Amino acid sequence: MDARDKQLLRSLRLELCTEVLVDGVVIQYLYQEGILTDSHVQEIKSQTTSQRRTMMLLDILPTRGPKAFDVFLDSLQEFPWVKEKLVVKRKEITVQDPADITEIAPSILKTLPTDQQLNKLARRLGPEWEHVVLCLGLSHTDIYRCKVNHPHNLQSQMVAAFILWRQRFGKKATIQSLQASLMAEEVDPSVIQYMLE
């Protein structure tokens, strides 16, 4: 899924959770079209409320390839007003051209991120955070531990993972290596800009 569509889903996340009920056709259509797997469907259905099911779907969608957003739009037959809104907003969003992004000073790139910066970063990241910390050198076990230690707060899970990375890698845990892993996972460049503001 391209950066613009990921950004759009993130910006309308709460609205979609109140408007779209994924219990009906939506999940079945995404499954039929190969966007969701059996395990995705089970994971979504295991959520306790309709809002949580929609949130889980919104967490999974960005990881499901380039066709995921268009197929999601097609799945919204029961919600034409939501589909229309997404189409309109999609045209409005212009993803920043990487050339427009201000360069980060080399002196800043060599520094270690502060707790405050890691907190700001966690506020902006979505489900891709796990891939980012894996790219930084943490293991699946480390991620699992962060999730178990903070079962009800996604942001706390992320912050715990980034702090663990900083502790484990010491002077190598620089803003530069963080930026490299964010770029490797195609996270919108504005996220690191926001973190450094």
Side-chain angles (χ1 to χ4, degrees):
M1 188 178 287
D2 73 26
R4 177 184 64 173
D5 295 339
K6 286 181 181 178
Q7 188 181 335
L8 176 59
L9 284 181
R10 192 176 299 141
S11 66
L12 292 176
R13 187 178 175 87
L14 293 175
E15 205 171 315
L16 288 170
C17 284
T18 56
E19 296 251 10
V20 178
L21 300 169
V22 297
D23 306 332
V25 175
V26 175
I27 291 183
Q28 295 310 318
Y29 186 81
L30 291 167
Y31 177 69
Q32 171 192 303
E33 297 301 311
I35 300 298
L36 297 179
T37 63
D38 271 336
S39 61
H40 289 134
V41 173
Q42 295 312 316
E43 198 175 353
I44 292 167
K45 286 184 172 178
S46 72
Q47 300 302 308
T48 49
T49 65
S50 184
Q51 273 93 355
R52 284 181 187 264
R53 285 191 280 277
T54 305
M55 272 192 196
M56 181 59 70
L57 173 64
L58 293 176
D59 286 346
I60 294 169
L61 273 178
T63 67
R64 300 304 298 155
K67 293 191 320 186
F69 190 84
D70 291 316
V71 177
F72 176 60
L73 284 179
D74 292 342
S75 76
L76 295 172
Q77 295 148 0
E78 296 176 47
F79 308 98
W81 64 94
V82 177
K83 181 177 179 175
E84 192 177 313
K85 182 170 197 161
L86 283 169
V87 170
V88 169
K89 289 269 188 198
R90 191 184 199 188
K91 286 179 185 151
E92 288 171 7
I93 288 183
T94 51
V95 172
Q96 279 183 304
D97 179 12
D100 298 345
I101 306 247
T102 51
E103 285 294 310
I104 300 169
S107 57
I108 292 173
L109 288 173
K110 290 185 177 78
T111 62
L112 303 183
T114 64
D115 286 359
Q116 185 182 7
Q117 287 172 328
L118 293 175
N119 220 328
K120 284 177 85 172
L121 175 63
R123 251 183 263 152
R124 280 291 174 94
L125 282 179
E128 68 274 13
W129 75 273
E130 293 184 29
H131 299 288
V132 171
V133 295
L134 286 171
C135 194
L136 287 169
L138 293 188
S139 67
H140 286 284
T141 310
D142 295 325
I143 292 173
Y144 177 74
R145 224 174 266 132
C146 293
K147 286 180 168 185
V148 168
N149 291 340
H150 305 279
H152 304 298
N153 190 328
L154 184 61
Q155 188 173 345
S156 298
Q157 293 170 13
M158 292 187 222
V159 172
F162 286 121
I163 288 174
L164 178 63
W165 160 71
R166 198 178 58 193
Q167 288 168 342
R168 188 170 297 161
F169 289 88
K171 290 187 172 151
K172 290 182 182 165
T174 60
I175 288 177
Q176 186 168 13
S177 57
L178 189 55
Q179 181 188 31
S181 71
L182 289 168
M183 287 168 71
E185 289 305 321
E186 298 178 357
V187 173
D188 193 303
S190 67
V191 170
I192 196 140
Q193 294 293 333
Y194 171 78
M195 180 188 107
L196 296 172
E197 279 167 10

